[in-house]
């Protein structure tokens, strides 16, 4: 809980700093970088916390289903923040289908790229260019279908066990 509050506060403060008009460029980049790293850490904490609640009991409820959907969406958000960090560190990591010159992209670009990767939809306009960014997208592209297969199998299995009457001996 303390770590979540600390990362949330750091994200908020660094985000506010980066919004200051006429901020010197190096300070802007550092504050955006700290903000993205803090949010990525916060997403991991949220994923872990929700996963603990989703996997701890054996009863299928609407909360468990919504929690498992939230985990899937948070995985996409986590990778979006990771991609933004990678792109801030090396602006040539991704080709966003623009001019080809390094530029700062919006978080919507990273979300779009992340969910396109997580769902294995495929790219048309954005591609990973460097080996590390390709590695990360491969990891995310594997996590998406594996998570869905495991979660659906678990929920169906739990539902079948719940609805099958126990036989008396």
């Amino acid at each position: 809980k303390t770590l979540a509050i600390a990362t949330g506060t750091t994200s908020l403060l660094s985000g506010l700093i980066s919004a200051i008009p006429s901020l010197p460029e190096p300070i802007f980049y550092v504050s955006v970088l700290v903000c993205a790293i803090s949010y990525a850490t916060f997403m991991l904490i949220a994923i872990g916390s929700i996963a603990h609640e989703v996997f701890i009991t054996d009863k299928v409820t609407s909360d468990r289903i919504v929690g498992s959907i939230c985990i899937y969406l948070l995985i996409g958000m986590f990778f979006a923040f990771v991609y933004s960090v990678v792109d801030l560190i090396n602006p040539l990591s991704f080709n966003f289908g623009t001019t080809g010159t390094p530029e700062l992209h919006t978080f919507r670009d990273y979300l779009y790229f992340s969910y396109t990767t997580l769902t294995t939809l495929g790219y048309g306009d954005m591609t990973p260019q460097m080996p590390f960014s390709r590695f990360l997208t491969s990891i995310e592209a594997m996590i998406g279908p594996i998570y869905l297969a495991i979660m659906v199998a678990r929920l169906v299995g739990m539902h079948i066990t719940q609805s099958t009457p126990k036989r008396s001996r």
Side-chain angles (χ1 to χ4, degrees):
K1 183 178 177 179
T2 306
L3 185 58
I5 292 171
T7 57
T9 304
T10 303
S11 302
L12 177 66
L13 293 176
S14 57
L16 289 173
I17 290 170
S18 67
I20 296 173
S22 68
L23 193 66
E25 193 171 319
I27 295 174
F28 173 77
Y29 275 99
V30 168
S31 65
V32 170
L33 188 63
V34 168
C35 184
I37 291 170
S38 299
Y39 269 121
T41 306
F42 185 79
M43 291 298 131
L44 278 180
I45 294 167
I47 290 167
S49 177
I50 296 170
H52 177 73
E53 292 300 319
V54 166
F55 288 108
I56 196 140
T57 63
D58 292 334
K59 189 173 182 187
V60 178
T61 63
S62 59
D63 286 344
R64 175 140 304 110
I65 293 168
V66 169
S68 63
I69 294 168
C70 285
I71 291 170
Y72 186 72
L73 296 174
L74 288 173
I75 290 170
M77 288 187 73
F78 165 74
F79 275 100
F81 284 113
V82 170
Y83 295 144
S84 67
V85 168
V86 169
D87 200 37
L88 281 168
I89 292 171
N90 183 356
L92 299 175
S93 294
F94 300 95
N95 179 357
F96 283 83
T98 55
T99 61
T101 59
E103 59 185 76
L104 189 61
H105 301 282
T106 65
F107 188 65
R108 288 187 310 261
D109 294 330
Y110 301 113
L111 274 176
Y112 166 75
F113 182 76
S114 179
Y115 286 120
T116 301
T117 304
L118 186 66
T119 60
T120 65
L121 179 62
Y123 311 112
D125 51 350
M126 301 165 64
T127 54
Q129 297 297 305
M130 303 303 281
F132 187 67
S133 57
R134 288 179 178 168
F135 170 75
L136 284 174
T137 56
S138 297
I139 295 296
E140 185 181 15
M142 287 186 284
I143 287 173
I146 290 171
Y147 173 80
L148 288 176
I150 290 171
M151 185 52 65
V152 168
R154 176 164 169 71
L155 291 173
V156 167
M158 288 169 47
H159 179 70
I160 288 172
T161 349
Q162 272 178 237
S163 61
T164 307
K166 295 183 181 179
R167 298 180 188 177
S168 58
R169 294 180 187 212

